[in-house]
Structures are given as C-alpha cells and as structure tokens.
Amino acid sequence: MENQTYSFQDFVDIIKRLRADDGCPWDREQTHQSLKKCLTEECNEVLEGIEIYESTGDWDNLCEELGDVLLQVVMHSVIAQEEGIFNIDDVIQGISEKMVRRHPHVFGNGRADNASQVRMSWEEIKAQEKKEKEARKKEKQ
C-alpha cells in the first residue's frame, strides 16, 4: 500500500467504513459498553507513552497511543451517530465551546496572570455551568 496522507475526515470515514454492513465484523459489533475497557487501556497506554517520552525523549509511542485514544473518541462518536444522538462534529463543537467559555482571559475580557488564577477561574466557571445545567434539568421535569 502506498503512503497516503489522511485528514481527520478521512479517518472518520475509515471508521464509518469499518462499521458498515460490509465492513469489519469486530468493528460492527462494538458498542459504547463493549469499548469501555478499550478506552481505559488506551488512556493508560498514553500515560505510559508520556513516561517513555519524558525519560527517553522518544515520542513515537506517545504519538501512536494518542492515535489509539482518538480512535476511541471517533468510534464512540460514529456509534452515537448511528444511534441518532450526536456525531463527531457535535463533540468538536461542544469541546470548542467549553474551551472558549472557560478561558475568558484569552477569548473574553477576563484576566489571569498565572496558572493558579486560570485554575481558580476554570473551577468557578465549571461550578456555575453545573448549577445552570441542574437548573435546566429541573425545568424539564
């Protein structure tokens, strides 16, 4: 197989193809539940990859393991899309909104002069978001 450069969308399409009716039997039968162990294992392997990188300077393993975590994120997103609940674009939109919201010192008129102030602001914003989410949940009931 020739070397090919793949985009993020190419990768999403690869996962969709694997889950297609004529795709891979193993990939097709995966569920959120069945992938829980895989996600945990891959996260642990990223942690090991960080240790290897920090002790040796070799980043190959870390790069590979981050790819495996990305596989898990995309696989769960594709499954959710098949279930009609959300897709990878929703995941990206949600995390992008969160990053902008929780960094008012970068994207707004907030101020943070050091990492400690950033952490305090993050936790305050997170707590406020949780209160608002709980209030919306109560309104729906």
Side-chain angles (χ1 to χ4, degrees):
M1 185 161 202
E2 292 181 35
N3 283 343
Q4 181 176 345
T5 300
Y6 294 98
S7 69
F8 180 76
Q9 187 57 55
D10 291 332
F11 181 63
V12 172
D13 292 342
I14 288 167
I15 302 308
K16 288 179 178 180
R17 175 72 176 90
L18 290 171
R19 293 206 29 102
D21 290 341
D22 61 344
C24 172
W26 185 89
D27 289 285
R28 279 196 322 263
E29 71 181 32
Q30 297 313 301
T31 65
H32 296 296
Q33 186 66 31
S34 70
L35 290 170
K36 284 171 57 175
K37 183 178 179 187
C38 296
L39 180 58
T40 301
E41 289 172 0
E42 298 304 348
C43 288
N44 286 327
E45 290 174 9
V46 166
L47 297 176
E48 291 173 25
I50 291 169
E51 293 302 318
I52 292 168
Y53 171 66
E54 288 183 347
S55 65
T56 69
D58 183 357
W59 52 264
D60 287 339
N61 180 260
L62 177 58
C63 183
E64 178 182 345
E65 299 305 340
L66 287 170
D68 291 344
V69 170
L70 180 60
L71 166 61
Q72 294 300 308
V73 171
V74 172
M75 183 74 90
H76 281 282
S77 298
V78 168
I79 292 168
Q81 183 174 6
E82 293 166 358
E83 296 170 342
I85 54 179
F86 64 84
N87 63 32
I88 191 66
D89 294 328
D90 298 317
V91 173
I92 292 168
Q93 182 67 30
I95 194 62
S96 296
E97 289 174 358
K98 181 188 287 187
M99 290 297 100
V100 169
R101 215 174 36 247
R102 293 197 185 171
H103 290 86
H105 56 285
V106 176
F107 301 104
N109 56 9
R111 183 178 171 120
D113 296 324
N114 56 54
S116 178
Q117 290 175 347
V118 171
R119 280 191 298 274
M120 284 177 41
S121 174
W122 179 282
E123 291 303 324
E124 289 170 5
I125 293 167
K126 184 177 176 180
Q128 182 61 37
E129 290 171 353
K130 185 176 179 180
K131 283 182 188 176
E132 291 170 5
K133 187 175 183 178
E134 288 171 1
R136 284 192 305 273
K137 199 173 186 180
K138 285 182 182 180
E139 286 177 8
K140 289 182 180 179
Q141 293 176 349

